[in-house]
Amino acid sequence: MHDRAMLEVTALAKSYGDTPVFQQVSLRVARREFVVLIGESGVGKSTLLNCIAGLDDADRGEIRFEGRSITALDADERALLRREHLGFVFQAFHVLPHLSVADNVALPLLLLKRRDDARVAQMLKRVGLGDLAARWPAQLSGGQLQRVALARALVHRPSLILADEPTGNLDPAQAGRILDLLAEQVRAEGAGCLLVTHSVAAAARADRVIRLEPGGIEPVVSAA
């Protein structure tokens, strides 16, 4: 049994010029619910996450977080909502090259004026990077950068986690560890999670799997 929906997306549509990206997208994510979103390459999964996070504007439809309309907020209000409530794992990492690994992970807490070195160290240990806190991003592999980005997204205990292929650069053992961490945030911390992936292993962890199609969202029913 899941709590009421914290995220509600209704009839969302996005185009670039005359080219539709997606249309009629409606979905819900509750607290303590792990939802996996799949779909063919180019169908707009990453763009949908960006719209949900308020990083991009949809053309039509509405996005509500805890009953509050994200689509009605201005840029500053969206930034504040992201800072306080969202954890976003970008496919391209967006790790800051001029900050150490530890400082990258600490950034959400510093922006909230809640510095917590022990929490930063804990998260780095959880993603298997506890001994690399002083390294610079240029000294890390792609898989390590992905784990830095994940630790940064979770360090401030967000209410809603949006993750874009968070295991794409990881080997199976590392991917399993990261999926365990995401599941823990959902179960123990009470977060909601919407994860975009092509990974069968990730989909197997989900409470629900949904598919983004050109005409909207379709539920994926297990054959089991």
Side-chain angles (χ1 to χ4, degrees), residues 121-137:
Q122 177 192 43
M123 291 308 303
L124 284 172
K125 184 177 181 181
R126 292 299 309 276
V127 299
L129 299 174
D131 57 343
L132 301 182
R135 294 277 185 94
W136 299 100

Side-chain angles (χ1 to χ4, degrees), residues 6-189:
M6 66 155 51
L7 173 68
E8 297 178 273
V9 178
T10 306
L12 209 67
K14 174 70 175 177
S15 298
Y16 289 122
D18 296 328
T19 305
V21 180
F22 54 75
Q23 55 187 335
Q24 290 301 314
V25 169
S26 296
L27 62 89
R28 296 159 62 91
V29 179
R31 285 192 179 276
R32 296 181 173 85
E33 187 177 28
F34 196 152
V35 180
V36 161
L37 175 66
I38 62 174
E40 298 296 326
S41 295
V43 78
K45 301 184 298 297
S46 295
T47 302
L48 176 59
L49 283 191
N50 286 336
C51 288
I52 291 172
L55 294 167
D56 201 352
D57 290 316
D59 300 324
R60 295 184 302 280
E62 186 175 34
I63 303 158
R64 300 185 73 85
F65 174 75
E66 299 283 27
R68 185 182 186 190
S69 177
I70 294 177
T71 40
L73 301 180
D74 64 28
D76 289 341
E77 290 170 327
R78 291 183 190 185
L80 183 60
L81 183 143
R82 283 194 299 273
R83 183 182 303 173
E84 294 181 339
H85 299 291
L86 267 60
F88 201 121
V89 186
F90 294 94
Q91 195 170 5
F93 315 140
H94 293 305
V95 173
L96 299 179
H98 60 285
L99 296 180
S100 70
V101 166
D103 286 343
N104 265 284
V105 174
L107 192 56
L109 293 171
L110 296 176
L111 290 172
L112 292 169
K113 297 180 172 57
R114 289 176 7 208
R115 178 168 181 157
D116 188 341
D117 293 341
R119 174 66 175 172
V120 171
Q122 177 192 43
M123 291 308 303
L124 284 172
K125 184 177 181 181
R126 292 299 309 276
V127 299
L129 299 174
D131 57 343
L132 301 182
R135 294 277 185 94
W136 299 100
Q139 297 173 305
L140 303 186
S141 68
Q144 289 169 331
L145 288 170
Q146 191 156 43
R147 286 181 279 160
V148 172
L150 181 70
R152 181 184 59 192
L154 301 183
V155 71
H156 62 304
R157 295 181 172 91
S159 302
L160 177 63
I161 303 162
L162 303 174
D164 194 355
E165 293 284 3
T167 61
N169 289 284
L170 306 180
D171 63 39
Q174 291 173 340
R177 186 174 187 172
I178 293 312
L179 292 171
D180 286 343
L181 179 56
L182 285 170
E184 179 183 308
Q185 293 287 125
V186 171
R187 314 300 182 213
E189 302 278 356

